[in-house]
Amino acid sequence: MSLLDFEHLIRRPWFRQASTLDRIALVVSILAVCTEAYRMVVEAAPLGGYVAIAVTALGVAISRRYSWAGLIVVLAGSVIDAVFWDPLVPWTVAVFTVFSLTLRGTSGLGAGLAAGSVAYAASVYANSAGFFDAAAIAGFASAIAAAAAGNAVRNRDRYWKALEERALDAIAARESETNRRVAEERVRIARDLHDMVGHEIAVVNMNLGVAEVNLPPDSQRSRDALDAARAGVTAVLRETQSILQVLRGGSSAVEDQTQPVPGVDQISGLIDSYRRIGLKVNAEIDTVVDKLDPTVDTAIYRIVQEALTNAHRHGNSDVDLAIKSAAGFIVAAVTNRRSSTGSRNLPGEGYGLVGMRERATSAGGVLDIGGDETMFTVTATVPIHGRSIR
């Protein structure tokens, strides 16, 4: 599971987030103030009632930046309203303000006791009741409850965030460990490949040199064949070094990415290299677009390269190669006659054919392998811009 997948999985509902509840409390307070102001106008409230509701609204605004100062102003508004008008709405706003402030980090115990004490005293004064007045006790209890609720939500939010951070850290550590092990394995593969291929290439070069030295002076065709073999060994060495650089993932690999990769424009040279080793290639290459998708360009080259290699190994040294572009596609077809002593594998077998099919698929195309007992055909159809064939 990736970090993004985990973050999407653990995303909490909006109604459980402290920031959302804080905004809801603010909206409720504003609506309560507006409703009370309208009621005052309708019922012709005294001037003191307007002052109280204005002070309450001012306190709500101040509390968004200065917690305690805003709470004190809101409580002052409820006291003024208790003297001149009905303190119910200012007190409701005070309760929501306590809840909001506690969500944002204000001490729940301090805010609850302060608001509850003021509410208790204001209710006792407004109702001219005793110290055990039910409304006064309810006011005190509601303030304490609002503070406790806000404190609980805030603590749960902190706990959840800490849990998320630990989980994300664990996932990041796991991905880092996986990447480290992959890098170590790639280095090990590169080291083994370097030791094995380097040794074998050195042996082949040495044997080619010995063979060339011991050739008779008039064996020009044999010398040409040895030159072609040496060029092939050099090409293998160059491509192996490129693979090793990518596997090791060092700075040299990054620099190597700026070098040109094999493409369709280099197929003519590829054909010449096969002709030098005795493969008769009848090539028909139409003009293709100048700018191909890099994946498509490389895929066509590698497919042709592997198809010519198979033709040389299993064919009768006569190959027809056709590369055409039409209707947004590049079609590369390689046809050769099977050798009577060649492989009798059915079409579609062998790792080379699997590799060609994977190349075509990676470029958004398809590979068709056909033929019979005498002919063998490989046809790659790849969209020029890498679009999938529908």
Side-chain angles (χ1 to χ4, degrees), residues 15-57:
F15 53 84
R16 292 184 180 179
Q17 299 178 14
S19 58
T20 302
L21 294 175
D22 178 36
R23 297 188 187 97
I24 292 175
L26 175 62
V27 171
V28 171
S29 298
I30 294 174
L31 290 177
V33 169
C34 294
T35 302
E36 182 66 4
Y38 175 77
R39 173 173 168 252
M40 286 181 176
V41 173
V42 172
E43 298 183 6
L47 180 60
Y50 291 102
V51 173
I53 201 65
V55 170
T56 301

Side-chain angles (χ1 to χ4, degrees), residues 233-311:
V233 170
T234 301
V236 170
L237 180 61
R238 182 171 58 253
E239 295 201 13
T240 302
Q241 289 174 340
S242 176
I243 294 173
L244 292 177
Q245 290 173 352
V246 173
L247 286 174
R248 291 187 178 276
S251 59
S252 58
V254 177
E255 293 172 359
D256 188 69
Q257 294 177 1
T258 62
Q259 301 299 321
V261 295
V264 175
D265 59 346
Q266 300 181 32
I267 289 181
S268 297
L270 178 66
I271 294 173
D272 292 339
S273 68
Y274 280 96
R275 285 171 175 167
R276 285 195 295 269
I277 60 176
L279 185 65
K280 298 178 182 178
V281 182
N282 304 314
E284 181 183 352
I285 303 177
D286 289 350
T287 303
V288 297
V289 295
D290 295 333
K291 293 184 179 180
L292 295 174
D293 182 275
T295 303
V296 175
D297 205 18
T298 303
I300 292 296
Y301 178 90
R302 292 303 187 190
I303 291 172
V304 171
Q305 183 183 41
E306 180 63 28
L308 292 178
T309 300
N310 286 343

